[in-house]
Amino acid sequence: MRLETFKGRDVATVHALARKALGDDALILETRACSVDGRPGIEVVAALSQDLERLRRLLRPTRVSGPNGARPRVIALVGPTGAGKTTTLAKLATHPDAFGGRRIGLLTLDTHRAGGVEQLEAYADAAGLSCAQAYDANEVKLALRRFAQCEVVLVDTAGRGPAAAALQARTRDLLGILRPDETHLVVPATLRLDIAERVREAHQVLRPTHALLTKLDEVPADRALGTLTSLLGLPMRWVTDGQDVPLSLHDAPTPILKPLGLAPRAEAA
Protein backbone atom coordinates (compact mmCIF):
# COMPACT_ATOMS: atom_id res chain seq x y z
CA MET A 1 0.00 0.00 0.00
CA ARG A 2 1.38 3.37 -1.03
CA LEU A 3 1.13 6.13 1.60
CA GLU A 4 2.61 9.53 0.77
CA THR A 5 2.94 12.85 2.61
CA PHE A 6 2.53 16.21 0.90
CA LYS A 7 3.22 19.73 2.21
CA GLY A 8 2.18 23.14 0.92
CA ARG A 9 1.09 26.64 1.85
CA ASP A 10 -2.65 25.87 1.62
CA VAL A 11 -5.14 23.02 1.33
CA ALA A 12 -5.80 23.49 -2.40
CA THR A 13 -2.09 23.33 -3.24
CA VAL A 14 -1.48 20.22 -1.16
CA HIS A 15 -4.51 18.40 -2.54
CA ALA A 16 -3.34 19.23 -6.07
CA LEU A 17 0.07 17.71 -5.28
CA ALA A 18 -1.60 14.55 -3.96
CA ARG A 19 -3.79 14.18 -7.06
CA LYS A 20 -0.82 14.75 -9.36
CA ALA A 21 1.19 12.02 -7.63
CA LEU A 22 -1.58 9.48 -6.93
CA GLY A 23 -4.29 10.31 -9.42
CA ASP A 24 -7.79 11.72 -9.10
CA ASP A 25 -8.91 8.89 -6.81
CA ALA A 26 -6.35 9.79 -4.14
CA LEU A 27 -7.89 9.63 -0.67
CA ILE A 28 -6.74 12.08 2.02
CA LEU A 29 -6.24 10.20 5.29
CA GLU A 30 -4.91 12.94 7.53
CA THR A 31 -4.54 16.73 7.45
CA ARG A 32 -2.51 18.75 9.94
CA ALA A 33 -0.75 22.06 10.32
CA CYS A 34 2.97 22.24 9.67
CA SER A 35 5.75 24.68 8.84
CA VAL A 36 6.79 25.29 5.21
CA ASP A 37 9.94 27.39 4.77
CA GLY A 38 9.35 28.90 8.20
CA ARG A 39 5.76 29.88 7.44
CA PRO A 40 2.45 28.18 8.40
CA GLY A 41 1.42 25.42 6.02
CA ILE A 42 -0.61 22.25 5.59
CA GLU A 43 0.56 18.62 5.52
CA VAL A 44 -1.61 15.73 4.32
CA VAL A 45 -1.17 11.96 4.17
CA ALA A 46 -2.82 10.38 1.12
CA ALA A 47 -3.26 6.94 -0.41
CA LEU A 48 -4.88 5.33 -3.42
CA SER A 49 -8.52 4.61 -2.72
CA GLN A 50 -8.30 1.15 -4.34
CA ASP A 51 -5.42 0.22 -2.01
CA LEU A 52 -7.49 1.16 1.01
CA GLU A 53 -10.52 -0.72 -0.29
CA ARG A 54 -8.34 -3.82 -0.71
CA LEU A 55 -7.08 -3.38 2.85
CA ARG A 56 -10.65 -3.17 4.15
CA ARG A 57 -11.48 -6.41 2.32
CA LEU A 58 -8.52 -8.16 3.96
CA LEU A 59 -9.71 -6.96 7.36
CA ARG A 60 -13.42 -7.61 6.97
CA PRO A 61 -14.61 -9.10 10.29
CA THR A 62 -15.57 -12.77 10.04
CA ARG A 63 -16.58 -15.36 12.57
CA VAL A 64 -14.87 -18.70 12.99
CA SER A 65 -17.32 -21.45 12.14
CA GLY A 66 -17.79 -24.63 14.12
CA PRO A 67 -16.34 -28.10 13.54
CA ASN A 68 -15.99 -29.30 9.98
CA GLY A 69 -18.24 -32.37 9.72
CA ALA A 70 -17.22 -35.26 11.96
CA ARG A 71 -13.90 -33.79 13.06
CA PRO A 72 -12.81 -30.76 15.10
CA ARG A 73 -12.03 -27.50 13.37
CA VAL A 74 -8.23 -27.29 13.04
CA ILE A 75 -6.47 -23.91 13.26
CA ALA A 76 -2.68 -23.93 12.70
CA LEU A 77 -0.16 -21.17 13.43
CA VAL A 78 3.00 -20.97 11.32
CA GLY A 79 5.68 -18.33 11.04
CA PRO A 80 9.28 -17.34 11.75
CA THR A 81 11.14 -17.93 15.01
CA GLY A 82 10.28 -15.35 17.66
CA ALA A 83 6.99 -14.27 16.10
CA GLY A 84 5.07 -15.28 19.24
CA LYS A 85 3.17 -18.29 17.95
CA THR A 86 3.02 -20.26 21.22
CA THR A 87 1.86 -17.29 23.29
CA THR A 88 -0.67 -16.39 20.59
CA LEU A 89 -1.97 -19.96 20.63
CA ALA A 90 -2.54 -19.68 24.37
CA LYS A 91 -4.43 -16.42 23.87
CA LEU A 92 -6.66 -17.98 21.23
CA ALA A 93 -7.34 -20.94 23.48
CA THR A 94 -8.38 -18.83 26.47
CA HIS A 95 -9.83 -15.56 25.17
CA PRO A 96 -13.64 -15.61 25.49
CA ASP A 97 -14.14 -13.82 22.15
CA ALA A 98 -11.99 -16.28 20.20
CA PHE A 99 -13.29 -19.77 21.01
CA GLY A 100 -15.11 -19.12 24.28
CA GLY A 101 -17.19 -22.04 25.52
CA ARG A 102 -15.85 -24.56 23.02
CA ARG A 103 -13.94 -27.73 23.82
CA ILE A 104 -10.36 -27.02 22.75
CA GLY A 105 -7.33 -29.23 22.27
CA LEU A 106 -3.75 -27.95 21.91
CA LEU A 107 -1.28 -29.75 19.66
CA THR A 108 2.36 -28.79 19.22
CA LEU A 109 4.59 -29.83 16.35
CA ASP A 110 7.36 -27.65 17.80
CA THR A 111 9.48 -30.49 19.21
CA HIS A 112 12.85 -28.92 18.32
CA ARG A 113 12.86 -25.68 20.31
CA ALA A 114 14.12 -26.08 23.87
CA GLY A 115 11.18 -25.58 26.23
CA GLY A 116 8.62 -25.26 23.43
CA VAL A 117 6.57 -28.29 24.50
CA GLU A 118 6.84 -27.40 28.19
CA GLN A 119 5.65 -23.85 27.51
CA LEU A 120 2.49 -25.02 25.78
CA GLU A 121 1.86 -27.69 28.43
CA ALA A 122 2.07 -25.02 31.12
CA TYR A 123 -0.57 -22.93 29.35
CA ALA A 124 -2.76 -26.02 28.90
CA ASP A 125 -2.49 -27.00 32.57
CA ALA A 126 -3.37 -23.48 33.71
CA ALA A 127 -6.45 -23.39 31.47
CA GLY A 128 -7.50 -27.01 32.03
CA LEU A 129 -7.12 -27.94 28.36
CA SER A 130 -5.99 -31.15 26.67
CA CYS A 131 -2.51 -30.94 25.19
CA ALA A 132 -0.47 -33.28 22.98
CA GLN A 133 2.78 -33.24 21.03
CA ALA A 134 3.62 -34.98 17.78
CA TYR A 135 7.02 -35.84 16.35
CA ASP A 136 5.85 -37.73 13.28
CA ALA A 137 2.85 -38.72 11.18
CA ASN A 138 1.74 -41.55 13.47
CA GLU A 139 1.70 -39.28 16.51
CA VAL A 140 -0.32 -36.67 14.58
CA LYS A 141 -2.95 -39.33 13.84
CA LEU A 142 -2.98 -40.45 17.48
CA ALA A 143 -3.45 -36.84 18.61
CA LEU A 144 -6.41 -36.37 16.26
CA ARG A 145 -8.07 -39.46 17.75
CA ARG A 146 -7.38 -38.14 21.23
CA PHE A 147 -9.01 -34.81 20.32
CA ALA A 148 -12.03 -36.42 18.64
CA GLN A 149 -14.39 -34.92 21.25
CA CYS A 150 -12.95 -31.43 20.88
CA GLU A 151 -14.63 -28.75 18.79
CA VAL A 152 -11.40 -26.90 17.97
CA VAL A 153 -7.77 -28.06 17.77
CA LEU A 154 -5.14 -25.29 17.85
CA VAL A 155 -1.79 -26.32 16.35
CA ASP A 156 1.58 -24.81 17.22
CA THR A 157 4.50 -25.24 14.82
CA ALA A 158 8.23 -24.62 15.01
CA GLY A 159 9.56 -21.29 13.83
CA ARG A 160 11.59 -21.56 10.68
CA GLY A 161 13.81 -19.15 8.77
CA PRO A 162 13.56 -18.77 5.00
CA ALA A 163 16.56 -21.09 4.47
CA ALA A 164 15.26 -24.04 6.53
CA ALA A 165 13.72 -25.90 3.59
CA ALA A 166 13.99 -29.41 5.06
CA LEU A 167 12.36 -28.40 8.33
CA GLN A 168 9.64 -26.53 6.44
CA ALA A 169 8.99 -29.72 4.47
CA ARG A 170 8.49 -31.69 7.71
CA THR A 171 5.97 -29.14 8.96
CA ARG A 172 4.23 -29.19 5.58
CA ASP A 173 3.92 -32.99 5.68
CA LEU A 174 2.49 -33.02 9.22
CA LEU A 175 0.05 -30.23 8.40
CA GLY A 176 -0.97 -32.23 5.35
CA ILE A 177 -2.19 -34.96 7.68
CA LEU A 178 -3.97 -32.47 9.94
CA ARG A 179 -5.65 -30.71 6.98
CA PRO A 180 -6.09 -27.36 8.80
CA ASP A 181 -9.26 -25.43 8.12
CA GLU A 182 -7.19 -22.27 8.59
CA THR A 183 -3.43 -21.71 8.65
CA HIS A 184 -2.40 -18.34 10.10
CA LEU A 185 0.97 -16.86 9.16
CA VAL A 186 2.12 -15.20 12.40
CA VAL A 187 4.34 -12.18 11.76
CA PRO A 188 5.67 -9.62 14.26
CA ALA A 189 4.50 -6.11 13.41
CA THR A 190 8.07 -4.91 13.95
CA LEU A 191 9.37 -6.87 10.94
CA ARG A 192 10.97 -4.83 8.16
CA LEU A 193 8.90 -4.87 4.99
CA ASP A 194 11.64 -6.41 2.86
CA ILE A 195 12.10 -9.24 5.37
CA ALA A 196 8.33 -9.68 5.69
CA GLU A 197 8.17 -10.27 1.95
CA ARG A 198 10.81 -13.02 2.26
CA VAL A 199 8.93 -14.57 5.18
CA ARG A 200 5.72 -14.62 3.19
CA GLU A 201 7.42 -16.30 0.25
CA ALA A 202 9.22 -18.84 2.45
CA HIS A 203 5.94 -19.94 4.05
CA GLN A 204 3.95 -20.34 0.83
CA VAL A 205 4.73 -24.06 0.97
CA LEU A 206 2.57 -24.23 4.13
CA ARG A 207 -0.37 -22.64 2.29
CA PRO A 208 -1.34 -19.93 4.78
CA THR A 209 -4.95 -18.79 4.56
CA HIS A 210 -4.68 -15.86 7.00
CA ALA A 211 -2.12 -13.51 8.52
CA LEU A 212 -1.85 -12.64 12.22
CA LEU A 213 0.24 -9.68 13.39
CA THR A 214 1.84 -9.80 16.85
CA LYS A 215 3.72 -7.24 18.99
CA LEU A 216 1.67 -4.24 17.88
CA ASP A 217 2.71 -2.55 21.13
CA GLU A 218 6.31 -2.41 19.83
CA VAL A 219 5.49 -0.57 16.58
CA PRO A 220 6.61 3.09 16.66
CA ALA A 221 4.42 4.18 13.70
CA ASP A 222 0.96 2.61 13.67
CA ARG A 223 0.31 3.69 10.09
CA ALA A 224 2.92 1.15 8.94
CA LEU A 225 0.59 -1.67 10.03
CA GLY A 226 -1.61 -1.06 7.01
CA THR A 227 1.35 -1.32 4.67
CA LEU A 228 2.49 -4.59 6.27
CA THR A 229 -1.02 -6.03 6.12
CA SER A 230 -1.32 -5.10 2.47
CA LEU A 231 2.08 -6.64 1.67
CA LEU A 232 1.17 -9.96 3.29
CA GLY A 233 -2.00 -9.99 1.20
CA LEU A 234 -3.90 -12.42 3.46
CA PRO A 235 -7.18 -11.98 5.35
CA MET A 236 -6.61 -11.12 8.98
CA ARG A 237 -8.82 -12.07 11.91
CA TRP A 238 -6.71 -11.31 15.02
CA VAL A 239 -3.76 -9.24 16.23
CA THR A 240 -1.87 -9.21 19.53
CA ASP A 241 -0.25 -6.33 21.39
CA GLY A 242 1.53 -7.73 24.44
CA GLN A 243 2.34 -10.78 26.55
CA ASP A 244 -0.83 -10.82 28.64
CA VAL A 245 -2.71 -14.12 28.22
CA PRO A 246 -5.49 -13.86 27.13
CA LEU A 247 -6.17 -10.11 27.16
CA SER A 248 -3.59 -9.01 24.57
CA LEU A 249 -5.62 -10.49 21.70
CA HIS A 250 -7.94 -8.33 19.58
CA ASP A 251 -9.99 -8.43 16.41
CA ALA A 252 -7.77 -7.18 13.60
CA PRO A 253 -9.80 -4.47 11.80
CA THR A 254 -9.79 -1.61 14.31
CA PRO A 255 -6.08 -1.63 15.33
CA ILE A 256 -5.05 -1.71 11.65
CA LEU A 257 -7.57 0.74 10.19
CA LYS A 258 -7.82 3.26 13.03
CA PRO A 259 -4.42 4.90 12.33
CA LEU A 260 -5.60 5.38 8.74
CA GLY A 261 -8.84 7.03 9.82
CA LEU A 262 -10.92 4.14 8.47
CA ALA A 263 -11.95 2.30 11.64
CA PRO A 264 -15.46 3.84 11.95
CA ARG A 265 -16.27 2.81 8.36
CA ALA A 266 -15.00 -0.70 9.01
CA GLU A 267 -17.08 -1.03 12.17
CA ALA A 268 -20.18 0.25 10.39
CA ALA A 269 -19.69 -2.28 7.61
Side-chain angles (χ1 to χ4, degrees):
M1 183 177 66
R2 183 179 173 188
L3 292 178
E4 293 198 20
T5 301
F6 303 92
K7 293 183 179 181
R9 293 287 175 81
D10 54 60
V11 172
T13 299
V14 178
H15 284 198
L17 290 173
R19 287 194 297 272
K20 182 178 180 180
L22 299 176
D24 290 338
D25 61 346
L27 183 63
I28 305 301
L29 302 178
E30 187 175 347
T31 303
R32 53 179 174 259
C34 71
S35 176
V36 178
D37 297 329
R39 299 175 60 184
I42 296 293
E43 179 181 87
V44 302
V45 177
L48 293 171
S49 60
Q50 58 263 39
D51 287 348
L52 295 169
E53 180 56 35
R54 176 174 178 269
L55 183 61
R56 279 198 292 264
R57 288 198 299 269
L58 291 175
L59 296 170
R60 184 172 294 128
T62 55
R63 296 184 62 83
V64 181
S65 60
N68 183 9
R71 71 179 197 125
R73 189 162 188 83
V74 178
I75 310 290
L77 302 187
V78 302
T81 302
K85 293 185 296 298
T86 303
T87 304
T88 299
L89 198 82
K91 294 171 184 176
L92 290 173
T94 54
H95 198 291
D97 293 337
F99 299 101
R102 297 182 183 177
R103 297 186 300 277
I104 295 173
L106 305 183
L107 173 62
T108 181
L109 309 181
D110 185 5
T111 55
H112 291 77
R113 179 170 62 95
V117 173
E118 291 78 10
Q119 182 183 7
L120 193 63
E121 287 177 339
Y123 285 132
D125 288 343
L129 301 175
S130 298
C131 184
Q133 56 184 299
Y135 291 84
D136 55 32
N138 287 332
E139 291 188 346
V140 167
K141 294 174 184 177
L142 287 172
L144 285 176
R145 287 199 287 270
R146 175 179 174 182
F147 292 141
Q149 300 306 311
C150 291
E151 296 174 90
V152 179
V153 175
L154 301 176
V155 183
D156 194 16
T157 63
R160 301 292 182 234
L167 296 173
Q168 285 284 53
R170 173 186 175 273
T171 300
R172 177 201 62 201
D173 292 345
L174 296 182
L175 289 178
I177 298 169
L178 285 165
R179 293 183 294 117
D181 297 279
E182 295 179 6
T183 300
H184 291 249
L185 176 58
V186 181
V187 175
T190 52
L191 205 60
R192 281 176 19 206
L193 295 180
D194 57 333
I195 298 177
E197 197 163 8
R198 290 176 56 203
V199 166
R200 181 194 63 189
E201 293 171 356
H203 286 81
Q204 286 304 307
V205 67
L206 304 181
R207 299 181 179 180
T209 60
H210 293 72
L212 196 161
L213 292 186
T214 61
K215 306 183 182 182
L216 266 67
D217 54 314
E218 300 179 18
V219 178
D222 288 347
R223 196 180 289 122
L225 298 176
T227 301
L228 179 56
T229 300
S230 183
L231 184 152
L232 293 172
L234 293 167
M236 192 174 298
R237 200 188 305 286
W238 300 291
V239 296
T240 75
D241 62 358
Q243 295 298 310
D244 192 302
V245 176
L247 297 181
S248 298
L249 177 79
H250 310 281
D251 289 337
T254 297
I256 304 296
L257 294 174
K258 186 175 181 181
L260 299 174
L262 303 174
R265 272 174 272 182
E267 292 164 355

